[in-house]
């Protein structure tokens, strides 16, 4: 049902800018333009919003704020970059503290250029965003109902750059959790990853021709060591991770024991492994901020 | 069997009427502000959309309280429209309100906490006037049953103008309108983000919205009791009261909670209790 088209609620945020675009966004709510006739409400609360309007560029200080607002919005959601500053950094692009447009930190769906963007253009941008919102909802439904085929197969060396990108994206949330941006998966270089291919078996999960998940493992003394199970943030909670771990266990038929590890605060990861029959067996301090929890699973145990 | 059909009828028709009333409210409000306004069925579009959104929670149990809130509001509405005990209606509604407050506390963000505290203050503010409505109606009709109050042959407003005024005064609180939209509001008053509903999204927010429709119709039902002797006359006057509330909503800025609490108790005390004292004195 196309209810998203009829009731898009917005939240707006003004980054580093002259405030001109922000004023034009609010002008859309006035009697002259009255966006409420299209069912649009300015909510001011990310948890109620469907469309995130960002005006102004992203700098080091508001990066976290913008990400935080985006993460608090329930799916499906779209991001609209309004004005040239939000699109590319605009006149502030060269500033020492400016990172650039919104697309540096968020997946932007619609760009509305202009300095300042006129209310008509903003309304046009929102109506384009509404269509994307509905498509995203359909898409999520299709993935959830398993209509989109998910392919799991061994990765080859040429997949390394894509897997590295995915790894960096997926470990962002971990890095924020421990407030440690020096985690080894984030620091790994392409050469190092390519080297891993010599010792590890890599599996990749493919949806729509894109790699959305990956895992690697190697065998030593009858134990299979599983590492860096990653799933694209937008495709999490659809069972991709479960399929990957089941598949990688099957790929090591001789192994009697499987081992993996996770950070001590990563409750989601530990729960995930526990669901798949893994048990904690030791923990080890790896840094000031992080303990490493080791998890194991014995195949013989399972059969009894 | 007959009563079951009646209950089902109430459960289905009341939210439909409530949604249309909310749509009408938004339309008329927009016209008062020289805007075109959303379509009449906009509240339904909003709720159907919310049902399709992701369900985000801070604490797993927070939505549990919201569903209890909805359940008790529906219970209250059924009790009222099947001619039940007015006192029980008032206290069941208060219980529903408490569940809403608990949900706000459970979500435990600073915004929803302040919203929940303000909601509690609102309950304290309006409850005396609401209880006086039941008491006043009992003094006149000698019954707490809605069916018997409606069957009374004269309009109750004739005997209870003071209590009606006290009730009218706290009506804005019950309908979540300015000047008393302290805990949460429908308009872009953003200093508390969204007050008590801040941490609710998706299905839970839809449930709050639907409960609000039920509640509004229940409140309008209470207003109708004052004019119940003539059906057509009663409905027109009830709608006129709602229109007055919309006008007040668009005219006033928000009060502080101290003003809301103080003034509503003062009005309930002077007009409401004064009304009952005069009634009892005249009857002697």
């Amino acid at each position: 049902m196309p209810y998203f088209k009829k009731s898009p609620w917005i939240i707006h945020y003004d980054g580093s800018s002259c405030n001109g675009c922000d004023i034009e966004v609010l002008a859309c709510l006035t009697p002259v333009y009255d966006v409420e006739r299209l069912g649009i409400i300015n909510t001011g609360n990310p948890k109620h919003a469907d469309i995130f309007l960002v005006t102004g560029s992203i700098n080091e200080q508001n990066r976290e704020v913008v990400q935080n607002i985006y993460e608090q919005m329930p799916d499906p959601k779209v991001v609209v970059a309004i004005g040239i500053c939000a699109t590319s950094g605009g006149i502030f692009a060269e500033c020492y503290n400016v990172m650039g447009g919104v697309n540096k930190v968020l997946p932007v769906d619609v760009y509305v250029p202009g300095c300042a963007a006129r209310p008509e253009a903003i309304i046009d941008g929102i109506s384009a965003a509404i269509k994307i919102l509905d498509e995203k909802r359909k898409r999520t439904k299709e993935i959830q109902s398993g209509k989109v085929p998910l392919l799991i197969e061994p990765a080859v060396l040429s997949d390394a750059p894509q897997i590295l990108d995915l790894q960096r994206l997926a470990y962002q949330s971990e890095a924020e959790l421990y407030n440690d941006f020096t985690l080894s998966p984030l620091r790994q270089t392409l050469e190092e990853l390519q080297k891993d291919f010599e010792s590890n078996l890599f599996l990749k999960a493919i949806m729509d021709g894109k790699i959305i998940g990956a895992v690697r493992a190697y065998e030593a003394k009858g134990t299979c060591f599983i590492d860096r199970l990653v799933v694209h943030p937008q495709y999490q909670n659809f069972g991709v991770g479960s399929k990957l771990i089941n598949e990688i266990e099957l790929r090591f038929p001789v192994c009697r024991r499987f081992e993996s590890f996770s950070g001590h605060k990563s409750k989601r990861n530990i729960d995930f492994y526990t669901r798949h029959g893994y048990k904690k067996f030791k923990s080890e301090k790896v840094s000031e901020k992080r303990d490493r929890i080791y998890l194991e699973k014995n195949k013989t145990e399972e059969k009894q | 069997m007959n009563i079951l059909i009646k209950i089902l009828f109430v459960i289905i028709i009341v939210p439909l009427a409530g949604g249309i009333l909310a749509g009408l409210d938004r339309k008329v409000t927009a016209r008062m502000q020289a805007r075109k306004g959303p379509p009449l069925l906009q509240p339904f579009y909003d709720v159907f959309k919310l049902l399709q959104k992701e369900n985000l929670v801070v604490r797993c149990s927070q939505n549990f309280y919201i569903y209890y809130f909805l359940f008790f509001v529906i219970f209250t509405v059924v009790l009222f429209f099947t001619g039940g005990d007015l006192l029980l209606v008032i206290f069941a509604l208060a219980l529903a309100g408490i569940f809403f407050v608990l949900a706000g506390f459970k979500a435990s963000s600073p915004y929803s906490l302040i919203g929940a505290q303000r909601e509690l203050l609102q309950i304290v503010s309006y409850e005396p006037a609401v209880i006086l409505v039941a008491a006043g109606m009992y003094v006149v009709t000698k019954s707490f049953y809605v069916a018997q109050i409606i069957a009374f042959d004269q309009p109750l407003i004739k005997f209870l103008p003071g209590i009606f005024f006290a009730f009218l005064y706290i009506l804005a609180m019950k309908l979540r309108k300015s000047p008393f939209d302290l805990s949460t509001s429908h308009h872009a008053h953003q200093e508390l983000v969204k007050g008590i509903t801040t941490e609710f999204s998706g299905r839970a927010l839809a449930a709050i919205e639907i409960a609000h429709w039920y509640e509004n119709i229940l409140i309008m039902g209470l207003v109708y009791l004052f004019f119940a002797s003539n059906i057509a006359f009663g409905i027109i006057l009830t709608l006129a009261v709602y229109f007055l509330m919309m006008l007040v909503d668009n005219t006033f800025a928000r009060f502080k909670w101290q003003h809301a609490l103080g003034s509503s108790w003062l009005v309930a005390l002077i007009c409401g209790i004064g009304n009952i004292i005069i009634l009892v004195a005249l009857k002697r």
Side-chain angles (χ1 to χ4, degrees), chain A residues 7 34 36 47 50 75-76, chain B residues 35 46 49 53-54 199:
Chain A
S7 158
D34 185 31
E36 204 195 348
K47 297 209 171 164
D50 308 303
D75 279 323
Chain B
R35 294 189 286 120
D46 290 346
K49 178 205 69 174
K53 287 283 278 185
E54 188 190 8
E199 297 299 329

Side-chain angles (χ1 to χ4, degrees), chain B residues 177-192:
Chain B
K177 287 186 176 302
S178 275
F180 297 135
D181 49 353
L182 295 168
S183 68
T184 182
S185 76
H186 284 106
H187 306 298
H189 300 180
Q190 289 180 5
E191 81 273 30
L192 281 177

Side-chain angles (χ1 to χ4, degrees), chain B residues 14 16 19 38 52 55 68 96 101 110 118 128 138 141 221 229 231 240 261:
Chain B
V14 168
L16 288 179
Q52 295 179 347
N55 189 23
Y68 260 88
V101 172
R118 287 184 171 194
Y138 175 78
T141 63
S229 59
I231 293 174
L261 186 63

Side-chain angles (χ1 to χ4, degrees), chain A residues 178-194:
Chain A
Y178 298 99
N179 195 19
D180 179 3
F181 289 83
T182 59
L183 294 177
S184 59
L186 291 174
R187 276 183 310 164
Q188 196 173 35
T189 62
L190 188 57
E191 288 73 33
E192 283 165 3
L193 188 79
Q194 280 165 341

Side-chain angles (χ1 to χ4, degrees), chain A residues 12-299:
Chain A
H12 69 109
Y13 178 80
D14 185 18
S16 253
S17 79
C18 68
N19 244 28
C21 290
D22 205 46
I23 290 167
E24 296 294 357
V25 167
L26 292 174
C28 296
L29 306 169
T30 59
V32 180
Y33 299 102
D34 185 31
V35 286
E36 204 195 348
R37 72 200 142 96
L38 308 171
I40 299 168
I41 294 181
N42 179 24
T43 59
N45 177 2
K47 297 209 171 164
H48 295 186
D50 308 303
I51 300 177
F52 187 18
L53 303 183
V54 190
T55 59
S57 56
I58 301 299
N59 62 32
E60 293 298 335
Q61 286 202 329
N62 67 28
R63 178 180 64 88
E64 282 175 24
V65 179
V66 171
Q67 272 177 332
N68 194 5
I69 293 174
Y70 181 75
E71 278 159 15
Q72 286 186 55
M73 288 168 64
D75 279 323
K77 54 191 168 187
V78 292
V79 179
V80 185
I82 286 174
I84 198 65
C85 299
T87 306
S88 68
I91 197 169
F92 303 107
E94 306 283 292
C95 286
Y96 63 92
N97 61 336
V98 168
M99 297 171 77
V102 185
N103 56 12
K104 295 277 183 204
V105 288
L106 297 182
V108 176
D109 298 284
V110 181
Y111 295 91
V112 181
C115 183
R118 290 191 57 78
E120 290 92 336
I122 294 171
I123 294 170
D124 196 38
I126 294 173
S127 67
I130 291 169
K131 288 187 192 108
I132 295 171
L133 199 62
D134 211 40
E135 275 165 26
K136 276 195 177 175
R137 184 189 62 82
K138 280 185 201 149
R139 181 99 201 109
T140 317
K141 253 196 168 156
E142 278 172 9
I143 295 172
Q144 275 170 340
S145 59
K147 273 183 193 158
V148 185
L150 175 73
L151 204 65
I152 291 180
E153 56 183 35
V156 290
L157 201 57
S158 60
D159 292 326
Q162 265 202 70
I163 289 175
L164 187 66
D165 282 349
L166 185 66
Q167 179 178 315
R168 285 187 182 145
L169 195 67
Y171 272 92
Q172 273 305 323
S173 59
E174 285 290 289
E176 278 164 24
L177 192 63
Y178 298 99
N179 195 19
D180 179 3
F181 289 83
T182 59
L183 294 177
S184 59
L186 291 174
R187 276 183 310 164
Q188 196 173 35
T189 62
L190 188 57
E191 288 73 33
E192 283 165 3
L193 188 79
Q194 280 165 341
K195 223 178 161 192
D196 279 355
F197 268 84
E198 289 165 16
S199 52
N200 284 272
L201 171 70
F202 277 71
L203 285 183
K204 58 181 180 183
I206 300 178
M207 204 180 260
D208 310 321
K210 236 175 39 182
I211 298 181
I212 56 146
V215 66
R216 71 195 65 167
Y218 64 92
E219 191 237 309
K221 293 179 198 164
T223 297
C224 167
F225 294 90
I226 298 169
D227 193 10
R228 289 184 196 164
L229 176 70
V230 288
V231 178
H232 193 288
Q234 284 178 0
Y235 292 88
Q236 281 171 8
N237 299 329
F238 299 143
V240 180
S242 299
K243 281 182 183 156
L244 276 170
I245 198 153
N246 291 339
E247 184 68 23
I248 198 118
E249 286 174 8
L250 289 177
R251 295 270 167 173
F252 290 89
V254 289
C255 290
R256 295 276 126 229
R257 190 170 165 276
F258 296 88
E259 188 179 319
S260 187
F261 60 85
S262 168
H264 72 287
K265 277 195 218 161
S266 316
K267 194 167 172 296
R268 263 183 77 182
N269 299 351
I270 295 169
D271 285 351
F272 171 82
Y273 282 116
T274 314
R275 268 206 308 280
H276 288 88
Y278 286 75
K279 283 182 190 125
K280 267 186 234 178
F281 73 96
K282 70 171 175 182
S283 85
E284 181 185 285
K285 207 164 185 68
V286 282
S287 75
E288 287 275 293
K289 295 169 183 164
R290 204 155 55 93
D291 291 354
R292 192 178 267 182
I293 307 274
Y294 286 87
L295 300 116
E296 65 173 348
K297 170 173 166 182
N298 289 313
K299 226 180 190 176

Side-chain angles (χ1 to χ4, degrees), chain B:
Chain B
M1 202 58 211
N2 198 8
I3 190 81
L4 276 180
I5 294 170
K6 212 172 166 185
I7 288 171
L8 212 65
F9 185 75
V10 168
I11 289 177
I12 295 165
I13 291 296
V14 168
L16 288 179
I20 288 170
L21 191 67
L24 202 67
D25 185 340
R26 282 175 71 174
K27 195 97 196 154
V28 172
T29 298
R31 289 294 155 88
M32 283 177 184
Q33 296 168 352
R35 294 189 286 120
K36 193 169 176 296
L40 186 63
L41 298 179
Q42 187 63 40
F44 294 102
Y45 301 149
D46 290 346
V47 162
F48 286 130
K49 178 205 69 174
L50 287 172
L51 289 174
Q52 295 179 347
K53 287 283 278 185
E54 188 190 8
N55 189 23
L56 275 185
V57 290
V58 184
R59 299 258 174 95
C60 293
S61 53
Q62 71 183 52
N63 289 357
F64 169 82
Y65 294 104
I66 291 298
Y67 298 132
Y68 260 88
F69 166 52
L70 179 61
F71 174 79
F72 276 103
V73 167
I74 293 174
F75 169 76
T76 313
V77 166
V78 167
L79 202 64
F80 182 85
F81 285 100
T82 50
D85 191 333
L86 194 57
L87 268 183
L88 186 58
V89 164
I90 287 167
F91 286 107
L93 191 64
L95 179 63
I98 292 296
F99 270 109
F100 189 36
V101 172
L102 282 177
F105 274 113
K106 187 74 194 176
S108 65
S109 89
Y111 304 113
S112 73
L113 271 184
I114 296 180
Q117 282 165 345
R118 287 184 171 194
E119 179 73 21
L120 270 180
L121 283 165
Q122 280 190 358
I123 292 175
V124 172
S125 312
Y126 66 62
E127 220 50 60
V130 177
I131 292 167
L132 279 177
V133 168
M137 284 180 179
Y138 175 78
V139 170
V140 178
T141 63
K142 295 276 170 267
S143 171
F144 277 125
Y145 281 88
V146 174
Q148 286 169 26
I149 293 170
I150 287 185
F152 195 70
D153 56 347
Q154 292 179 61
L156 292 177
I157 181 90
K158 221 170 90 182
F159 306 99
L160 306 167
I163 286 179
F164 182 71
F165 180 74
F167 187 59
L168 208 58
Y169 192 81
I170 56 100
L171 211 51
M173 261 180 237
K174 288 293 249 181
L175 299 174
R176 306 195 185 290
K177 287 186 176 302
S178 275
F180 297 135
D181 49 353
L182 295 168
S183 68
T184 182
S185 76
H186 284 106
H187 306 298
H189 300 180
Q190 289 180 5
E191 81 273 30
L192 281 177
V193 187
K194 264 290 182 184
I196 192 165
T197 65
T198 302
E199 297 299 329
F200 297 97
S201 60
R203 267 172 289 156
L205 192 61
I208 292 173
E209 199 60 28
I210 292 168
H212 190 53
W213 296 346
Y214 274 110
E215 238 182 331
N216 280 1
I217 293 296
L218 177 68
I219 308 301
M220 294 338 279
L222 278 174
V223 173
Y224 174 78
L225 285 186
F226 284 95
F227 317 110
S229 59
N230 184 329
I231 293 174
F233 184 63
I235 290 173
I236 291 170
L237 276 178
T238 307
L239 287 174
V241 166
Y242 197 83
F243 182 80
L244 179 70
M245 281 298 121
M246 285 191 252
L247 199 64
V248 168
D249 189 27
N250 282 291
T251 315
F252 281 88
R254 186 186 283 176
F255 277 10
K256 285 182 182 173
W257 68 264
Q258 290 92 334
H259 293 151
L261 186 63
S263 63
S264 57
W265 275 43
L266 204 67
V267 170
L269 193 74
I270 295 173
C271 300
I273 296 190
N275 196 161
I276 288 181
I277 290 171
I278 292 170
L279 258 185
V280 174
L282 284 181
K283 284 207 172 167
R284 284 262 165 89

